[in-house]
Amino acid sequence: MMRFMSARRGLAAVSIAATVASAGLAVALPASATTGARTGPAVSASGVGTVVITCGRQAVVRPSRYVISCADANNFLAGLSWSAWGWHKTAYGHGMQWINVCRPSCAAGHFRKSTVSVVLWGATRLSGRLLAYRWLTVIYLHNRPPHTPTTVTYGLPG
């Protein structure tokens, strides 16, 4: 838990203007079982809670798998377990990140896995009282890819 608290303090120092969720985004709850997502106490039937938007534009809660690179799925998280969701517009989890090393090419490359902590943050209003996370920070714990900083932040769809 201390790693997450340190990560949260580090994120608080980051000065990034969050973009507003696009109007008219269709929210599909509950999410398909193929995403490993589930609805739960973080989202009620009345559309109150916090979600993360997938590449397929689905709103999901606590996904066990999340694709980071929507175009080719060469970067994704798997085996995700969440210790907190929606707490102060932030979620904390851990799992494995799989990245295609693309050598000699992405089609012929292989995937390298890293143990990571994950922080979803910067939740903004999606519709009504439904919030969507805007940023994903990956913190490498083991097997960090070469030439990659310890912490990497990605903008999320939505």
Side-chain angles (χ1 to χ4, degrees), residues 7-24:
R8 190 162 195 277
R9 280 194 292 270
L11 291 174
V14 177
S15 167
I16 301 173
T19 57
V20 178
S22 59

Side-chain angles (χ1 to χ4, degrees), residues 75-128:
N75 183 356
F76 66 91
L77 301 167
L80 291 172
S81 175
W82 300 95
S83 58
W85 188 273
W87 182 71
H88 292 281
K89 298 182 182 179
T90 308
Y92 303 105
H94 64 278
M96 302 300 289
Q97 182 181 31
W98 294 80
I99 298 176
N100 189 342
V101 296
C102 293
R103 280 187 230 118
S105 68
C106 290
H110 66 280
F111 281 85
R112 174 189 192 123
K113 69 179 179 177
S114 303
T115 305
V116 297
S117 287
V118 179
V119 182
L120 292 169
W121 56 285
T124 58
R125 189 162 316 288
L126 186 60
S127 66

Side-chain angles (χ1 to χ4, degrees), residues 2 17 21 25 38-39 49 61 72 77 88 106 109 114 133-134 136 139 151 153 157:
M2 289 306 295
L25 177 66
R38 61 188 164 97
T39 57
V61 176
D72 56 15
L77 301 167
H88 292 281
C106 290
S114 303
Y133 292 114
R134 300 296 297 139
L136 164 72
I139 304 161
T151 302
T153 297

Side-chain angles (χ1 to χ4, degrees), residues 42-75:
V43 176
S44 71
S46 62
V48 176
T50 310
V51 298
V52 61
I53 305 299
T54 67
C55 295
R57 306 300 253 182
Q58 297 293 308
V60 297
V61 176
R62 298 177 189 257
S64 61
R65 177 178 159 90
Y66 189 82
V67 175
I68 296 172
S69 60
C70 292
D72 56 15
N74 278 330
N75 183 356

